[in-house]
Amino acid sequence: HIEEIPHKIFVRVGKDLKTVIFLTLQEALLGFEKEIIHLDGRKVKITRDKVTQPGEVSKIKNEGMPVHENSSSFGDLFIEYQINFDKNFNAAQIKRNDIL
Protein backbone atom coordinates (compact mmCIF):
# COMPACT_ATOMS: atom_id res chain seq x y z
CA HIS A 1 0.00 0.00 0.00
CA ILE A 2 1.40 3.38 -1.06
CA GLU A 3 0.15 6.60 0.46
CA GLU A 4 0.57 9.74 -1.62
CA ILE A 5 1.46 12.84 0.38
CA PRO A 6 0.20 16.20 -0.97
CA HIS A 7 2.93 18.47 -2.35
CA LYS A 8 2.93 22.26 -1.91
CA ILE A 9 3.68 22.96 -5.61
CA PHE A 10 2.66 19.94 -7.71
CA VAL A 11 -0.52 17.90 -8.03
CA ARG A 12 -0.24 14.43 -9.49
CA VAL A 13 -2.84 13.33 -12.03
CA GLY A 14 -1.89 9.80 -13.03
CA LYS A 15 1.51 10.04 -14.70
CA ASP A 16 1.19 13.82 -15.21
CA LEU A 17 1.97 16.70 -12.87
CA LYS A 18 0.12 20.02 -12.64
CA THR A 19 1.21 23.30 -11.09
CA VAL A 20 0.26 26.97 -11.10
CA ILE A 21 2.64 29.86 -11.75
CA PHE A 22 1.68 33.39 -10.74
CA LEU A 23 2.82 36.19 -13.04
CA THR A 24 2.94 39.94 -12.72
CA LEU A 25 1.01 41.94 -15.28
CA GLN A 26 4.32 42.92 -16.87
CA GLU A 27 5.40 39.27 -17.19
CA ALA A 28 2.02 38.32 -18.66
CA LEU A 29 2.21 41.03 -21.31
CA LEU A 30 5.91 41.03 -22.19
CA GLY A 31 7.05 37.47 -21.52
CA PHE A 32 9.25 36.01 -18.80
CA GLU A 33 11.84 33.44 -17.83
CA LYS A 34 11.34 31.49 -14.58
CA GLU A 35 12.58 28.29 -13.00
CA ILE A 36 10.61 25.62 -11.18
CA ILE A 37 12.37 23.27 -8.78
CA HIS A 38 11.18 19.79 -9.78
CA LEU A 39 10.44 16.98 -7.33
CA ASP A 40 13.93 15.55 -7.80
CA GLY A 41 15.60 18.95 -7.22
CA ARG A 42 16.31 19.72 -10.89
CA LYS A 43 15.58 23.20 -12.21
CA VAL A 44 13.07 23.33 -15.07
CA LYS A 45 13.24 26.56 -17.07
CA ILE A 46 9.93 28.10 -18.18
CA THR A 47 10.22 30.75 -20.89
CA ARG A 48 7.49 32.65 -22.73
CA ASP A 49 7.99 35.47 -25.21
CA LYS A 50 4.35 36.25 -25.92
CA VAL A 51 1.26 37.46 -24.11
CA THR A 52 -0.03 34.99 -21.50
CA GLN A 53 -3.75 34.91 -20.73
CA PRO A 54 -5.06 34.18 -17.20
CA GLY A 55 -5.82 30.47 -16.95
CA GLU A 56 -3.71 29.56 -20.00
CA VAL A 57 -1.98 26.17 -19.72
CA SER A 58 1.37 25.03 -21.15
CA LYS A 59 2.54 21.44 -21.43
CA ILE A 60 6.15 20.39 -20.98
CA LYS A 61 6.59 16.89 -22.33
CA ASN A 62 8.34 14.22 -20.25
CA GLU A 63 8.55 16.34 -17.06
CA GLY A 64 5.83 14.43 -15.20
CA MET A 65 6.05 11.25 -13.13
CA PRO A 66 7.86 8.11 -14.28
CA VAL A 67 5.55 5.53 -15.86
CA HIS A 68 5.37 2.49 -13.55
CA GLU A 69 5.56 -0.13 -16.30
CA ASN A 70 8.33 1.68 -18.22
CA SER A 71 10.74 3.65 -16.04
CA SER A 72 12.30 5.37 -19.06
CA SER A 73 8.94 7.01 -19.91
CA PHE A 74 7.53 10.03 -18.12
CA GLY A 75 4.25 11.87 -18.03
CA ASP A 76 3.93 15.55 -18.81
CA LEU A 77 4.01 18.71 -16.70
CA PHE A 78 1.06 21.08 -17.13
CA ILE A 79 1.56 24.67 -16.01
CA GLU A 80 -1.43 26.95 -15.47
CA TYR A 81 -0.69 30.67 -15.50
CA GLN A 82 -2.46 33.09 -13.18
CA ILE A 83 -1.89 36.84 -13.26
CA ASN A 84 -1.54 39.00 -10.16
CA PHE A 85 -3.27 42.23 -11.15
CA ASP A 86 -1.87 45.08 -9.06
CA LYS A 87 -4.78 47.20 -7.88
CA ASN A 88 -2.64 49.77 -6.06
CA PHE A 89 -1.50 52.34 -8.59
CA ASN A 90 -0.43 55.72 -7.30
CA ALA A 91 -1.80 58.97 -8.77
CA ALA A 92 1.44 59.71 -10.68
CA GLN A 93 1.37 56.31 -12.42
CA ILE A 94 -2.26 56.77 -13.42
CA LYS A 95 -1.64 60.30 -14.70
CA ARG A 96 1.37 59.16 -16.77
CA ASN A 97 -0.41 55.96 -17.77
CA ASP A 98 2.74 54.26 -16.43
CA ILE A 99 1.33 51.04 -14.98
CA LEU A 100 3.94 48.62 -16.31
Side-chain angles (χ1 to χ4, degrees), residues 10-28:
F10 299 103
V11 174
R12 181 178 179 177
V13 181
K15 63 183 181 182
D16 298 325
L17 290 174
K18 291 185 176 186
T19 191
V20 176
I21 292 180
F22 291 91
L23 306 175
T24 65
L25 181 57
Q26 183 174 356
E27 290 171 327

Side-chain angles (χ1 to χ4, degrees), residues 36-50:
I36 298 175
I37 305 298
H38 207 296
L39 293 171
D40 62 3
R42 287 181 300 111
K43 293 179 181 178
V44 178
K45 187 185 282 189
I46 312 298
T47 304
R48 290 185 57 92
D49 59 359
K50 59 183 179 179

Side-chain angles (χ1 to χ4, degrees), residues 65-96:
M65 298 298 291
V67 177
H68 179 65
E69 301 82 24
N70 183 0
S71 61
S72 64
S73 281
F74 292 83
D76 299 323
L77 172 60
F78 292 89
I79 302 169
E80 179 184 337
Y81 301 102
Q82 293 298 325
I83 290 61
N84 289 327
F85 290 100
D86 190 353
K87 297 177 180 121
N88 299 314
F89 299 116
N90 64 43
Q93 287 175 310
I94 294 169
K95 187 174 183 178
R96 288 190 324 257

